[in-house]
Amino acid sequence: LDVILGNVDFFEIANSHRVKTDLWYELLNCGFITPPMAGTDLPNFAYRDPWQPLFGEIRTYVRMPGVHSFSEWKRSLASGQVFITSGPLVKFSINGAEAGQTVFLPEHGGEIRVVGELASPRELQSLEVMRMGKVFPLETKRTHEDEIHRILVDQKITIKESCWLALRGSGVKKTALEEGLGTPQSTFAHSGIIQVVVGNSPIRSERAVEAMRTRMKEQRHFYETKAEFAHDKDRAIFSSLFAKALRLLE
């Protein structure tokens, strides 16, 4: 709801070993472009679960081409110049544009060059190009030099409809952490998105929009009929927010 209403600067897709991208993908497919974020939840909470003290197990990196300041960091984060990772470093570009930027194509579409890299001193498993939430099959190359594992992609593809693309990668499990904590610890990385706009067409999947409208109606029904509020006016406020979100999804 907050993403649709424009009230957030990022969307958390990972927290320690927990990774959930489906809802973020769905929002992107509806045209709500929001950068990914990841981090450690409740690092200082006295009653945390055993896995939660892993401060920095998954992190968000922000590209700052200008002055290094907190205000610049916030601006770069909000613009989507990011990647998240629990280890591997990510490089990603399309026609020279990087995460958070937009590539413009003529009305009939055109060719783009997708370049990406996943790099880590630990063994890697996969590097995938994501297009509108689905894996776009491209050939990759593996190297291992100077004790660094890399998976590379460098390929030209034709785009005919506006869309977003990103890189998603994985590595081997962190067995020492798994044994010590009794919790699965995977290696995961995801870039921010690059928008590819064809003509003046927006990035929008009607199927995703309809699914999101259904989700909003279900949530509105819950808050109107089952949720507990201190005051009736609060229930009315929530209902009006969902009504606004549904109008934005028309």
Side-chain angles (χ1 to χ4, degrees):
L1 176 63
D2 284 333
V3 171
I4 296 172
L5 296 178
N7 295 331
V8 300
D9 293 321
F10 54 82
F11 191 92
E12 185 181 79
I13 65 171
N15 180 342
S16 187
H17 64 285
R18 298 175 177 176
V19 178
K20 294 184 178 180
T21 58
D22 289 350
L23 181 54
W24 179 53
Y25 289 164
E26 189 175 335
L27 287 163
L28 292 173
N29 290 349
C30 290
F32 300 105
I33 307 303
T34 309
M37 170 66 84
T40 307
D41 194 15
L42 305 175
N44 297 313
F45 183 49
Y47 301 100
R48 58 186 177 267
D49 291 328
W51 58 268
Q52 288 178 316
L54 296 177
F55 187 74
E57 166 60 15
I58 194 161
R59 303 170 295 283
T60 301
Y61 285 80
V62 180
R63 180 175 178 269
M64 298 175 60
V67 177
H68 287 190
S69 65
F70 183 52
S71 59
E72 178 68 14
W73 182 88
K74 290 190 293 182
R75 189 200 67 78
S76 296
L77 171 63
S79 68
Q81 300 180 63
V82 303
F83 70 87
I84 70 159
T85 182
S86 64
L89 298 182
V90 182
K91 293 182 181 179
F92 178 46
S93 68
I94 296 177
N95 291 2
E98 299 183 337
Q101 299 178 328
T102 303
V103 174
F104 294 95
L105 298 177
E107 290 185 2
H108 60 273
E111 188 177 74
I112 62 172
R113 181 185 178 189
V114 179
V115 180
E117 175 185 293
L118 192 70
S120 172
R122 293 169 53 83
E123 187 176 350
L124 298 170
Q125 289 184 330
S126 67
L127 176 64
E128 299 171 316
V129 176
M130 307 301 296
R131 178 183 180 273
M132 299 295 284
K134 303 294 183 181
V135 176
F136 193 96
L138 294 180
E139 294 182 2
T140 58
K141 174 184 176 182
R142 292 176 179 267
T143 66
H144 185 204
E145 299 177 357
D146 299 325
E147 299 183 352
I148 299 298
H149 296 270
R150 287 184 171 86
I151 306 180
L152 309 165
V153 61
D154 187 344
Q155 195 168 334
K156 293 181 179 180
I157 61 175
T158 299
I159 297 294
K160 296 183 178 181
E161 297 180 349
S162 295
C163 61
W164 61 264
L165 294 99
L167 287 189
R168 183 174 72 183
S170 65
V172 296
K173 291 184 177 181
K174 301 179 180 181
T175 54
L177 290 178
E178 284 192 359
E179 293 172 358
L181 299 171
T183 303
Q185 296 291 328
S186 61
T187 299
F188 176 81
H190 206 301
S191 74
I193 73 164
I194 298 176
Q195 301 179 64
V196 180
V197 176
V198 177
N200 295 318
S201 299
I203 297 175
R204 179 183 171 102
S205 162
E206 293 305 324
R207 179 178 296 181
V209 170
E210 186 57 35
M212 188 60 67
R213 284 181 58 82
T214 299
R215 182 191 295 269
M216 289 296 100
K217 289 178 181 178
E218 291 174 349
Q219 291 187 5
R220 180 177 65 178
H221 178 72
F222 170 81
Y223 282 105
E224 288 178 343
T225 61
K226 297 182 180 180
E228 296 183 1
F229 293 90
H231 306 285
D232 288 340
K233 65 177 182 179
D234 296 328
R235 189 185 307 275
I237 290 173
F238 259 80
S239 182
S240 67
L241 291 176
F242 281 106
K244 182 178 180 180
L246 287 167
R247 288 195 298 271
L248 292 171
L249 286 165
E250 293 177 352

